[in-house]
Amino acid sequence: MELKPSLFRTAELLVNGIPRGAPHPTSPSEVNGLAKTLGIKDGSLTYRINRLIEFGLVENRCLANGRRHCLRDRNGRIIEIYGISFEPMMRRAAELAERADAVRAAHTEHTRLRHDISRLRRGMGHLVAAFGDAGIVTTWASLPARLTKLTIAELQRVIAVVKNLKADLTRRKNGGDRSEIFEDRPSNFDAQYTTEQDLSDSCNPTIPAENKKDCGQNSAQQDQPKSGLEHVTLDMILKIAPEDWHVAMGMHGRPSLHNLVGTAYQRAQALDVSPSAWAQAQSALGPVGAAVLVLLADAQSQDRGGRVRCPGGWVRRMSERAENGTAYLHRTVFGLLPQEKVNF
């Protein structure tokens, strides 16, 4: 049983129409008044009430001519009431509560399976291309792209296939060439984001013009194209960072730009950001700017309901724009911030 929003709204108005002190939960609300409130015709309202009756949630206790009436004594107390009764719902309260719990549990399981499948899929495309044979490539291509409309049983079958594929690819990877793929933890490429420079609260390696003289910045850094990240602070980044980023940074102490860079490097592996794309981003934006670029790609990815289908490609494309001075990444950051006034 699934109540459509229109039926739910109709039932809600009927419940609100039950007068105080009624001897039983019966709504004497008139058809024409309810129909006017809902903005529908009387016949449509009658159809909705009949659907509620079919679901066993209400019953018709109107008078013989269909009238709904509330009879009171001289003191204003309700003696009898005629209309749409919700007693069937009250009798089934325990059953409905149990079914509601089952629906919530099914929804939670459905969400968990979808997230698990998405997590397992991350990074597998590269493995399939590098180590997959014709059978693996065919199986990988046959997996459904959209998971929302699949049943729990279908999701369980998909996750079983993905796990088997990943186990097979891992065995092939461990016995073959490891140089073309990311390792499970940062190792060979750690030096790419390690830096001895002091990281300021600004996420851009370029220093604003009014501060360049005091900071003694060399001419090469002064001439570096701006990306807009000079207007972005660590506080802004923390506001738009997904929850799992906060958890990862929290494992290494207080959130900081250093922790942001390390977390971004680990997330880059899961997002299929290649080592060359990571290096290009660092060259264009510096280590912190590269980390912010990976965070933006992740925050806007389709797995999180965004519009970025290929985070690795997006990072490379925005790095190229940053090299030309046409990235304007601060606009992306401001667009992801909670709706509040941004001053800079």
Side-chain angles (χ1 to χ4, degrees), residues 15-278:
V15 169
N16 291 340
I18 299 175
R20 291 186 178 183
H24 44 79
T26 299
S27 174
S29 302
E30 296 292 339
V31 170
N32 53 3
L34 289 173
K36 185 177 181 180
T37 301
L38 291 168
I40 59 177
K41 296 181 179 180
D42 293 357
S44 298
L45 178 65
T46 302
Y47 170 79
R48 292 185 185 183
I49 293 175
N50 288 336
R51 290 292 292 165
L52 292 173
I53 294 173
E54 292 174 11
F55 281 134
L57 300 177
V58 302
E59 59 185 10
N60 188 351
R61 289 191 177 178
C62 297
L63 293 170
N65 58 0
R67 284 186 63 241
R68 305 175 187 191
H69 181 63
C70 186
L71 181 62
R72 300 176 183 268
D73 62 15
R74 292 182 177 180
N75 296 320
R77 291 175 299 186
I78 298 175
I79 300 175
E80 193 54 78
I81 187 171
Y82 303 95
I84 303 300
S85 173
F86 282 85
E87 283 191 355
M89 183 183 292
M90 295 185 64
R91 290 193 296 265
R92 299 177 59 191
E95 173 202 344
L96 294 174
E98 183 178 345
R99 293 179 68 173
D101 289 340
V103 170
R104 281 191 291 268
H107 176 74
T108 301
E109 177 66 8
H110 194 276
T111 302
R112 184 190 67 80
L113 287 171
R114 287 191 289 111
H115 288 178
D116 286 349
I117 292 171
S118 297
R119 175 178 54 82
L120 289 169
R121 276 178 165 179
R122 287 176 181 169
M124 282 187 63
H126 189 80
L127 293 177
V128 170
F131 302 103
D133 56 19
I136 289 178
V137 172
T138 301
T139 303
W140 175 255
S142 68
L143 292 174
R146 297 185 179 276
L147 306 175
T148 306
K149 294 185 179 181
L150 298 183
T151 65
I152 289 179
E154 290 170 335
L155 289 173
Q156 289 172 338
R157 288 193 291 271
V158 170
I159 199 171
V161 172
V162 173
K163 285 181 177 179
N164 289 336
L165 280 178
K166 191 160 191 176
D168 193 3
L169 289 168
T170 301
R171 286 193 296 269
R172 292 167 179 261
K173 179 187 75 170
N174 292 336
D177 181 14
R178 301 167 63 93
S179 62
E180 294 296 323
I181 59 174
F182 281 118
E183 301 295 334
D184 290 336
R185 294 182 179 274
S187 57
N188 298 335
F189 303 102
D190 282 351
Q192 294 183 1
Y193 70 77
T194 302
T195 177
E196 296 179 357
Q197 75 180 77
D198 292 331
L199 301 179
S200 65
D201 284 340
S202 174
C203 298
N204 196 63
T206 304
I207 293 180
E210 63 269 18
N211 297 334
K212 287 180 181 179
K213 187 173 182 180
D214 295 336
C215 294
Q217 198 81 330
N218 61 44
S219 59
Q221 288 174 312
Q222 291 176 359
D223 295 336
Q224 184 172 4
K226 291 186 178 181
S227 63
L229 290 181
E230 63 270 14
H231 303 307
V232 176
T233 64
L234 176 61
D235 181 61
M236 294 179 186
I237 293 302
L238 294 178
K239 286 182 179 179
I240 67 173
E243 184 61 31
D244 50 346
W245 282 69
H246 285 275
V247 173
M249 284 189 284
M251 294 175 64
H252 302 287
R254 183 176 61 87
S256 65
L257 294 177
H258 285 287
N259 285 344
L260 174 67
V261 173
T263 301
Y265 179 80
Q266 293 176 336
R267 293 297 303 159
Q269 301 175 52
L271 292 169
D272 271 352
V273 178
S274 66
S276 62
W278 173 262

